Amino acid sequence: MMAYKPLLPPEAEAEIMGRLSAKMRISSDEIAAILERHGVSGDAESLQSAYRKRLGQRLMSSIRDEGGKRELLAAGSEYVVVECCNDPQKLKAIQRRLQGNINGLDASAKKVRGRIRFLNRFSPGKKGGAADG
């Protein structure tokens, strides 16, 4: 599955990628400043809507059972109480999304582990290698 790539002004994307190439890192504040310089903004109503949805999502994700597991999960654009859901299609959709997230996180974790192993070869006495993030 390919990641969604936002549509940005080519000059803004080039500046972000240039900074990332030069330093091998970039802060979210730097990205925001570059996007602002290139006039990237959203209309107030869509920003408010996104903010409200984000708050609602955080509320839904905070609802947990006694064991700390989420009670509600998203099935498309709606949240369902997993223990009460009798729709196999919704449950399968939730399962596919969760498995996709797991696969992506596993691949990222593997990449980080590989980098740590590589760095540890050069600093055998230290756990984690260089402190350069």
Side-chain angles (χ1 to χ4, degrees):
M1 184 162 112
M2 192 158 167
Y4 166 76
K5 186 176 175 187
L7 293 175
L8 297 174
E11 306 81 24
E13 185 174 344
E15 186 175 343
I16 291 167
M17 298 309 284
R19 177 102 32 108
L20 188 55
S21 292
K23 296 181 177 181
M24 292 294 122
R25 67 182 69 174
I26 188 167
S27 72
S28 56
D29 288 338
E30 288 175 293
I31 293 170
I34 291 168
L35 294 175
E36 183 178 4
R37 250 193 328 276
H38 289 276
V40 175
S41 65
D43 70 87
E45 189 52 42
S46 66
L47 292 172
Q48 285 299 321
S49 177
Y51 174 72
R52 291 180 191 114
K53 286 179 183 179
R54 197 166 45 252
L55 284 179
Q57 187 277 328
R58 285 170 46 199
L59 171 64
M60 296 295 103
S61 69
S62 73
I63 300 171
R64 310 273 172 148
D65 66 14
E66 304 80 35
K69 296 181 184 123
R70 288 184 57 175
E71 293 273 9
L72 297 151
L73 289 168
S77 62
E78 69 179 5
Y79 291 89
V80 296
V81 178
V82 175
E83 292 295 320
C84 298
C85 183
N86 294 320
D87 183 341
Q89 294 304 98
K90 284 187 181 180
L91 293 170
K92 286 177 184 175
I94 291 169
Q95 186 177 33
R96 277 192 304 276
R97 182 178 50 80
L98 291 173
Q99 191 60 55
N101 291 348
I102 291 166
N103 293 345
L105 288 170
D106 282 345
S108 296
K110 183 178 179 183
K111 186 172 190 167
V112 170
R113 277 192 307 273
R115 183 64 181 170
I116 290 169
R117 277 195 300 274
F118 173 80
L119 292 174
N120 282 339
R121 282 189 235 143
F122 297 104
S123 56
K126 291 182 175 178
K127 289 262 188 208
D132 181 46

